[in-house]
Amino acid sequence: SAVISQKPSRDICQRGTSLTIQCQVDSQVTMMFWYRQQPGQSLTLIATANQGSEATYESGFVIDKFPISRPNLTFSTLTVSNMSPEDSSIYLCSGNRGGTGELFFGEGSRLTVL
Amino acid sequence: KQEVTQIPAALSVPEGENLVLNCSFTDSAIYNLQWFRQDPGKGLTSLLLIQSSQREQTSGRLNASLDKSSGRSTLYIAASQPGDSATYLCAVFKAAGNKLTFGGGTRVLVKP
């Protein structure tokens, strides 16, 4: 399986601040994605992180709120900007292994906004 | 738009019983289907991946079947154990647009 490490694993933040989540994947991964899982809900795709270019965002998610970078093949960051309590969720980084297309996930970053 | 549904939403069984988890999807044009396990507050662990050309996959006590034409997949877990207690999610991957759509999950409790 592909190795995906994510940090921080959890954080408690104040309203109005921003938090950057980092994700490191191994070289088997070709595509990288960011998901959000709100309390008691399933996963929702935020965006596909593209190497060296702007991320591809899903409907309902915008770059100003969730800027994403992927400077190289194996590293990506997601920033949650100007946070409000509604942003309290688990944010998950994932990677798609080329060939089979199997998807692997990091341990997630549990964010609580007060 | 692809929709993925998992029934039941929750399931409680005594230890030793076999588990049957259902997943249905509305658009049969899928690239693959993947089953995951999620423990509370944790990330997802990949259990089984079924390519669109396959009918089933097996790993240990786990067996997943895929019927694309009817838009269904079933995950069987034989001889359940308390350690199998978790939420199980299925997801379908559509090659066009590279979108993975998740079901709502089935929360499983195996009682000792």
Side-chain angles (χ1 to χ4, degrees), chain B residues 22-36:
Chain B
N22 297 301
C23 172
S24 61
F25 47 94
T26 54
D27 184 352
S28 62
I30 63 171
Y31 181 65
N32 61 33
L33 183 145
Q34 197 167 351
W35 283 93
F36 295 90

Side-chain angles (χ1 to χ4, degrees), chain B residues 87-104:
Chain B
T87 296
Y88 292 82
L89 295 142
C90 74
V92 295
F93 191 87
K94 187 176 176 66
N98 294 319
K99 292 184 187 298
L100 191 69
T101 304
F102 279 86

Side-chain angles (χ1 to χ4, degrees), chain A residues 31-46:
Chain A
M31 300 183 71
M32 294 181 71
F33 307 91
W34 287 97
Y35 285 84
R36 180 175 73 180
Q37 187 176 31
Q38 295 177 300
Q41 303 293 314
S42 189
L43 279 74
T44 301
L45 179 64
I46 297 172

Side-chain angles (χ1 to χ4, degrees), chain A residues 7-22:
Chain A
K7 59 180 181 181
S9 58
R10 60 176 61 227
D11 208 339
I12 299 173
C13 303
Q14 296 299 317
R15 182 195 298 260
T17 62
S18 299
L19 177 74
T20 296
I21 302 166
Q22 299 180 6

